């Protein structure tokens, strides 16, 4: 079946994996990648698909309502997979306005454009879908002995990032309840894998080990995250876009909880082994620094609903995923060096200065 699918944020980390999967798996779909190319957007993430006939890139800001409406008209969009966002918690602590603008107003602008364009058609919402990608951070933080986040867990965001994502989730659900738009929302745990911007824990630490820079562990390193390989997330998005129930919510997670400090030791061991350093060589780089403000203690997702209803589960064991990931960053040093030249040093200085 022919479809025209708008993927927002397709030049970012997760978005690039989703674009690649859809372009390759569905030659009959036209995939339109809308991305503003902020510091986090990088067309080098999509080098291998940019020449495909079913792929189009459009540089635009999701907050620019007129530009978004034009894209809906020009490409006759009938499905949206919305990933564009400001995504880094530490940046949201320094600059919450940008997060409210992109994540809340940007999402609203897409919803309103979709509504106006789809309602103007004789078939209205038939065959349409608006899929919003959200995060487990909207549920707040768990204690070590709490049970996992389910789809029924009450929203309790703590950072400006998660507050902005929670707000955008509410707008998406409101557009279903008010206008009947066929929406779906997913809340996913921490992703890892190739093409992640080196402000996030795993690529940052791999790169710092390579350059023998300190590894800034927040607080005591006791916080827990649930890690999922990014291609497994992209597969889940594919399944839910096609088979998820309208107006429903699905949690996506890895059933793979790691205390930060334990994960960091795995990263150090893997990088040292692959570079040819003696075991324990880079342990001395571990540096405990001032904790992140409002640092959520633990996230852990119960994704049994997705497994039971749609048959999805993570395919990759963590040991295999982390080995693949470290290898990828070491093999793609040019990609990393391009990103970390220019503005990056300034960001790094500001983020870690005085901690
Ligand atoms: P990312 O920061 O790597 O990429 C975000 C992309 O959005 C970039 O390409 C950027 O250029 C684009 N963008 C930003 N502002 C824009 C704007 N105003 N208009 C158009 N494009 C804009 O993010 P990511 O880690 O790939 O996350 C993607 C989505 O998944 C986000 O919505 C995030 O909240 C969600 N999510 C991420 C994770 C994770 O672990 N990374 C986990 C769960 C959910
Ligand atoms: O849970 C899903 C979320 O995961 C996504 O919604 C976010 O977009 C994504 O950035 C991620 O958020 P986290 O804050 O969990 O990811 P981050 O990689 O920034 O940090 C992971 C953990 O590591 C967290 O407990 C903070 C800690 N950390 C992070 C950095 C960057 C450090 O100890 N030192 C660091 O330098």
């Amino acid at each position: 079946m022919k479809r025209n699918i708008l993927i927002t944020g397709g030049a970012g980390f997760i978005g690039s994996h989703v674009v690649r999967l859809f372009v390759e798996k569905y030659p009959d779909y036209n995939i339109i990648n809308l991305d503003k190319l902020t510091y986090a957007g990088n067309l080098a993430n999509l080098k291998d698909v940019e020449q495909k006939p079913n792929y189009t890139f459009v540089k635009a800001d999701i907050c620019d309502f007129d530009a978004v409406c034009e894209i809906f008209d020009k490409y006759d969009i009938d499905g949206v997979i919305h990933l564009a966002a400001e995504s880094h918690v530490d940046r949201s602590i320094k600059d919450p306005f940008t997060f409210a603008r992109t994540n809340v107003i940007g999402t609203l602008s897409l919803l309103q454009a979709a509504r106006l364009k789809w309602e103007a058609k004789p078939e209205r919402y038939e065959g349409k879908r608006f899929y919003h990608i959200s995060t487990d951070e909207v549920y707040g933080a768990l204690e070590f002995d709490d049970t996992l986040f389910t789809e029924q867990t009450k929203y309790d965001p703590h950072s400006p990032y998660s507050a902005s994502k929670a707000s955008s989730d509410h707008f998406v659900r409101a557009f279903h309840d008010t206008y009947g738009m066929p929406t779906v929302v997913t809340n996913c745990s921490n992703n890892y894998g190739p093409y992640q911007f080196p402000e996030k824990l795993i690529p940052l630490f791999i790169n710092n080990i390579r350059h023998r820079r300190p590894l800034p562990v927040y607080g005591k390193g006791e916080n827990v995250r649930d890690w999922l390989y990014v291609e497994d997330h992209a597969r889940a998005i594919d399944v839910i876009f096609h088979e998820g129930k309208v107006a429903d919510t699905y949690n996506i997670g890895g059933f793979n909880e790691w205390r930060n400090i334990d994960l960091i030791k795995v990263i150090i061991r893997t990088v040292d082994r692959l570079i040819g350093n003696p075991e324990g060589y880079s342990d001395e780089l571990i540096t405990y620094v001032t904790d992140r403000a409002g640092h959520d203690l633990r996230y852990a997702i119960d994704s049994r609903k997705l497994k039971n209803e749609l048959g999805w589960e993570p395919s990759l064991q963590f040991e295999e995923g982390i080995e693949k990931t470290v290898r990828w960053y070491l093999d793609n040093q040019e990609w990393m060096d391009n990103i970390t030249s220019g503005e990056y040093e300034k960001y790094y200085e500001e983020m870690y200065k005085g901690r």
Side-chain angles (χ1 to χ4, degrees), residues 165-178:
K165 290 296 289 187
S167 170
S168 64
D169 296 8
H170 291 319
F171 268 106
V172 173
R173 294 189 179 108
F175 266 62
H176 171 267
D177 297 348
T178 307

Side-chain angles (χ1 to χ4, degrees), residues 140-313:
L142 295 167
E143 294 298 328
F144 290 125
D145 56 358
D146 279 342
T147 53
L148 313 189
F149 296 133
T150 71
E151 289 81 0
Q152 276 70 49
T153 304
K154 207 164 100 351
Y155 274 30
D156 183 20
H158 298 141
S159 71
Y161 164 67
S162 52
S164 68
K165 290 296 289 187
S167 170
S168 64
D169 296 8
H170 291 319
F171 268 106
V172 173
R173 294 189 179 108
F175 266 62
H176 171 267
D177 297 348
T178 307
Y179 308 109
M181 183 179 288
T183 58
V184 65
V185 176
T186 55
N187 299 87
C188 187
S189 65
N190 286 63
N191 284 216
Y192 71 100
Y195 301 114
Q196 189 169 30
F197 193 88
E199 61 189 351
K200 309 282 165 61
L201 181 75
I202 293 181
L204 175 75
F205 277 37
I206 296 171
N207 192 44
N208 280 13
I209 297 169
R210 185 164 78 87
H211 292 291
R212 305 228 45 83
R213 295 179 91 162
L215 304 177
V217 181
Y218 295 168
K220 294 184 179 146
E222 283 177 343
N223 303 66
V224 171
R225 297 291 182 265
D226 170 0
W227 294 93
L228 177 69
Y229 192 68
V230 62
E231 287 179 2
D232 276 332
H233 188 188
R235 270 196 314 108
I237 290 172
D238 178 18
V239 171
I240 294 160
F241 180 73
H242 290 97
E243 295 168 41
K245 272 206 281 283
V246 166
D248 218 341
T249 297
Y250 299 88
N251 280 353
I252 309 173
F255 288 112
N256 178 40
E257 289 182 58
W258 284 82
R259 222 165 45 122
N260 288 344
I261 192 64
D262 298 329
L263 171 68
I264 287 161
K265 286 180 180 160
V266 171
I267 297 168
I268 293 175
R269 263 207 314 278
T270 312
V271 177
D272 275 343
R273 178 168 48 77
L274 293 177
I275 288 183
N277 291 335
E279 199 177 323
Y281 181 71
S282 297
D283 290 352
E284 65 179 28
L285 298 177
I286 291 179
T287 309
Y288 290 91
V289 301
T290 310
D291 209 353
R292 173 184 280 174
H295 197 174
D296 286 335
L297 181 63
R298 174 177 167 235
Y299 305 138
I301 273 279
D302 182 344
S303 54
R304 278 177 303 173
K305 171 176 167 180
L306 181 53
K307 179 171 187 223
N308 295 339
E309 292 188 11
L310 302 181
W312 176 92
E313 55 187 332

